[in-house]
Amino acid sequence: MPVLPATDTRFRPDQRAMEDGQYDFAAEEKNRVEEKQRAARRAREESGEPYVPEFFSKKVHPITGDEYWEFDHSYWKRRKNGELKNYKDIF
């Protein structure tokens, strides 16, 4: 079982290309990945589907009253059960 999730930014093809010294390809890939993310956001907005983070939920701190994102710990169970393999096509 892989240790890193498929969403880890170290798997981004633009980062891999940059590390390999392929700077022109890295720039093209960065643009492609960002356009893919923008297209996914537009599709969600057009369908009225709200963006809901998978492993975090917005909470209000009981003392300060500030909003923060709380990790729900479901990631670890899903990773252990192999449910994160081929998680999402984000890159």
Side-chain angles (χ1 to χ4, degrees):
M1 176 177 2
V3 176
L4 298 173
T7 57
D8 192 290
T9 60
R10 289 172 280 191
F11 294 130
R12 282 181 62 136
D14 58 320
Q15 286 195 8
R16 298 264 52 101
M18 183 69 82
E19 290 170 0
D20 293 340
Q22 300 172 332
Y23 303 115
D24 291 338
F25 180 68
E28 292 171 11
E29 279 297 287
K30 182 177 187 295
N31 186 58
R32 183 190 64 78
V33 169
E34 289 173 346
E35 286 300 321
K36 185 174 186 176
Q37 292 169 345
R38 288 183 190 109
R41 185 193 69 229
R42 280 191 300 270
R44 273 195 314 272
E45 289 172 352
E46 289 172 4
S47 71
E49 176 187 348
Y51 176 73
V52 179
E54 190 83 23
F55 304 108
F56 295 87
S57 58
K58 192 178 275 191
K59 302 285 184 171
V60 175
H61 193 278
I63 296 172
T64 66
D66 294 336
E67 288 185 337
Y68 69 99
W69 290 97
E70 182 176 75
F71 180 57
D72 71 5
H73 300 280
S74 67
Y75 168 83
W76 301 109
K77 180 179 178 185
R78 290 173 65 184
R79 185 177 107 169
K80 181 179 179 184
N81 294 337
E83 297 170 17
L84 296 178
K85 202 174 214 164
N86 304 320
Y87 174 65
K88 287 186 179 180
D89 181 22
I90 63 172
F91 304 131

